[in-house]
Amino acid sequence: MLLLRTAYLSLLFLLASVLAFSQTAYRQVVARRGDGTHTLLRRYGLPPATYLRPFLALNRKSIGKNNSLVAGRKYRLPRPADRSLGATRRLKPHTAARATTALPKSVAMPLPALFGKAYGAVPSDGLLRGAVFYLSSGHGGPDPGAIGKYGGHSLAEDEYAYDVTLRLARVLYMHGALVYLIIRDPNDGIRDQAVLLTDYDEVTYPSQTIPRSQLARLRQRINAVNALYPKHKGAYQRFLGLHVDSRSEGKNIDVFFYHNSNSAAGKRLAQNIHKMFTARYKRAQPNRPYSGTVSARNSLYVVRNSHAPAVFMELGNIRNNKDQRRFLIPDNRQAMANWMYEGILADYRSR
């Protein structure tokens, strides 16, 4: 009887110890290249509005300058019980109904559904609440755009531009912005593969078949933007067009930004995003100078005709094997989207 009582008490002690340990242990995760505090928290389903301050408190000794993260370093994730450590009020996430209620059933899906199953959960912290963005990836439909070769695979410009655009849309949406995806694919979603297979089922908002004629395509998407623009009069509205360049295979280029010479707002946005890319490249690749530039290019149809201040971006040379790493590695595609968002946020706050 004494032995049974001793065994019973030992079991209770063991269970209590395990419970105590589970209540005090923190999950540790490794920061990826290009990660910021918001990105890392969102990856593990923790809304920054609720968990940012507890995260900073837990990792004070591991956080870099301006709350930056160090790639490859481990960080502790806060638990629900830590929310009282100065967390801000959690805001309800936006729905995409405003952007998609007019869509036919074929593509009438909430914006998060376009991100795919793995990325469909999108909390919001409201940092960009009231801002409106029109995002347009280059080419699409019958035109895959520039083609690069990687081993035995063909890399299509429209697929990689669309994936980065989707990632940017998700980050903007996470922060409370109203986002219109001008070019959309109802079944691709954000993809974490290196080689993105080419398809031809993209449409122009709201559900228009993309024409073969280049001029017709450009008119179609800008007409969509300009039809939406008056509905949000007085709001911070911006158009961003994302493309991938095609040059000789030996030409390694950086991300370039173009704006309308008559648009001070477009120029300022381009400069803010460029400034963020310059800073992030310096941190991620200190031995490699960043050579991307900001310049006016009124000859670009979308830049010249968008009613919303516009920025046109060339993300790199899809035929160059060094630039291809920027597109083939999913974390690099996400990093570009994150850096764009940081530049956009800086622009939004300085308006």
Side-chain angles (χ1 to χ4, degrees), residues 33-35 277 330-340 342:
R33 187 171 64 176
D35 272 351
F277 267 70
D331 283 353
N332 287 350
R333 301 199 294 268
Q334 186 62 53
M336 284 194 288
N338 293 345
W339 298 348
M340 290 175 200
E342 292 181 88

Side-chain angles (χ1 to χ4, degrees), residues 67-85:
N67 290 338
S68 61
L69 304 184
V70 179
R73 180 172 293 177
K74 289 183 178 180
Y75 294 90
R76 294 191 294 174
L77 295 179
R79 307 159 304 180
D82 299 318
R83 288 179 294 182
S84 60
L85 298 176

Side-chain angles (χ1 to χ4, degrees), residues 254-306:
D254 277 315
V255 181
F256 288 81
F257 305 87
Y258 302 104
H259 62 87
N260 189 322
S261 63
N262 298 315
S263 173
K267 180 179 180 179
R268 187 183 68 219
L269 176 59
Q271 289 174 332
N272 275 315
I273 302 176
H274 173 264
K275 182 179 179 181
M276 193 57 62
F277 267 70
T278 303
R280 293 294 176 259
Y281 260 80
K282 186 176 181 179
R283 188 176 71 187
Q285 301 182 34
N287 297 323
R288 178 187 178 281
Y290 175 69
S291 60
T293 60
V294 174
S295 59
R297 184 172 288 188
N298 295 4
S299 60
L300 295 169
Y301 185 93
V302 296
V303 167
R304 186 174 69 251
N305 291 286
S306 171

Side-chain angles (χ1 to χ4, degrees), residues 48-123:
T50 303
Y51 290 100
L52 178 59
R53 292 187 183 182
F55 177 81
L56 295 176
L58 286 171
N59 299 282
R60 187 176 292 110
K61 294 181 179 180
S62 301
I63 299 292
K65 186 178 180 181
N66 298 322
N67 290 338
S68 61
L69 304 184
V70 179
R73 180 172 293 177
K74 289 183 178 180
Y75 294 90
R76 294 191 294 174
L77 295 179
R79 307 159 304 180
D82 299 318
R83 288 179 294 182
S84 60
L85 298 176
T88 56
R89 180 173 61 91
R90 182 176 181 176
L91 300 174
K92 293 182 178 179
H94 274 346
T95 66
R98 290 173 295 172
T100 60
T101 50
L103 296 181
K105 288 185 178 179
S106 60
V107 288
M109 54 178 69
L111 189 61
L114 290 170
F115 302 146
K117 292 182 180 179
Y119 289 88
V122 191

